[in-house]
């Protein structure tokens, strides 16, 4: 049976755009994998401890086991202060583990068979030609951070998400709506209906 691991990390609750994106992706996956199951982890309401001198090896094994059992991982990644939430950083720190996610002898990643879809939301604009081009350090960090495990993120981004709540960005609302719609369209194209029918 197919399994999807759904991870959210936004602290914005029902107002979160990244949670809207992951919900859309999970529904799309369910529609195309009717016999599949979903495992859910919320890093905001149930944060993972950061690495420290009392870090539990059992927790690291548990987190990596969730990925190994999944055919697909969907991660919601809001941009906070130009980087990933610290809870996502903690999750990544746990799953990069020689002997569990990395072959201890060869250095080969052991999670490469898992599809990894990352749905990012960012409040401003960080694309080419914008004043803050290159300031999105989450987008550049994550592929490198998980590369040793074999995971290869497929990134879908919705930006200008603050336009609806920040009066100074009101004129950007049409661009924000277009970006969100493009993200939804990209999500809907991830899996084809009927491709996993029995």
């Amino acid at each position: 049976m197919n399994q999807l691991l759904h991870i959210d990390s936004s602290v914005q609750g029902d107002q979160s755009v990244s949670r809207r994106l992951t919900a859309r992706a999970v529904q799309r996956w369910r529609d195309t994998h009717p016999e599949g199951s979903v495992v859910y982890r919320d890093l905001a309401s149930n944060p993972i401890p950061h690495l420290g001198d009392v870090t539990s090896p059992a927790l690291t094994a548990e987190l990596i086991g969730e990925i190994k059992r999944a055919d697909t991982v969907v991660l919601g990644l809001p941009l906070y202060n130009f980087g990933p939430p610290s809870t996502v950083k903690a999750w990544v720190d746990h799953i990069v583990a020689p002997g569990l996610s990395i072959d201890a002898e060869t250095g080969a990643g052991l999670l490469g068979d898992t599809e990894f879809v990352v749905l990012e939301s960012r409040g401003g604009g960080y694309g080419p030609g914008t004043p803050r081009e290159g300031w999105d350090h989450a987008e550049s960090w994550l592929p490198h951070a998980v590369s040793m495990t074999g995971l290869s993120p497929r990134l879908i981004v919705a930006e200008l998400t603050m336009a609806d709540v920040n009066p100074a960005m009101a004129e950007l609302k049409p661009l924000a709506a277009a970006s969100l719609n493009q993200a939804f369209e990209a999500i809907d194209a991830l899996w084809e209906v009927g491709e996993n029918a029995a």
Side-chain angles (χ1 to χ4, degrees), residues 60-112:
T60 294
E62 176 187 346
L63 296 173
I64 293 172
E66 287 180 346
I67 298 172
K68 286 183 174 179
R69 289 188 294 273
D71 301 281
T72 299
V73 175
V74 169
L75 170 66
L77 181 68
L79 186 68
Y80 289 163
N81 300 313
F82 314 115
S86 65
T87 52
V88 173
K89 177 64 164 62
W91 178 75
V92 168
D93 285 343
H94 277 280
I95 68 169
V96 179
L100 294 176
S101 62
I102 305 165
D103 189 290
E105 294 184 0
T106 68
L110 301 177
L111 305 180

Side-chain angles (χ1 to χ4, degrees), residues 98-179:
L100 294 176
S101 62
I102 305 165
D103 189 290
E105 294 184 0
T106 68
L110 301 177
L111 305 180
D113 292 336
T114 304
E115 180 183 29
F116 188 26
V117 178
V118 178
L119 304 173
E120 183 184 7
S121 61
R122 50 196 195 196
Y126 299 85
T130 63
R132 288 183 172 167
E133 177 183 355
W135 285 41
D136 179 353
H137 299 293
E139 181 179 7
S140 57
W141 161 77
L142 185 60
H144 296 140
V146 300
S147 60
M148 292 178 64
T149 70
L151 288 171
S152 180
R154 176 170 181 175
L155 193 73
I156 296 173
V157 179
E159 66 174 12
L160 300 171
T161 62
M162 292 296 294
D164 284 338
V165 296
N166 184 347
M169 297 176 64
E171 65 181 20
L172 299 175
K173 286 183 179 182
L175 291 176
S179 179

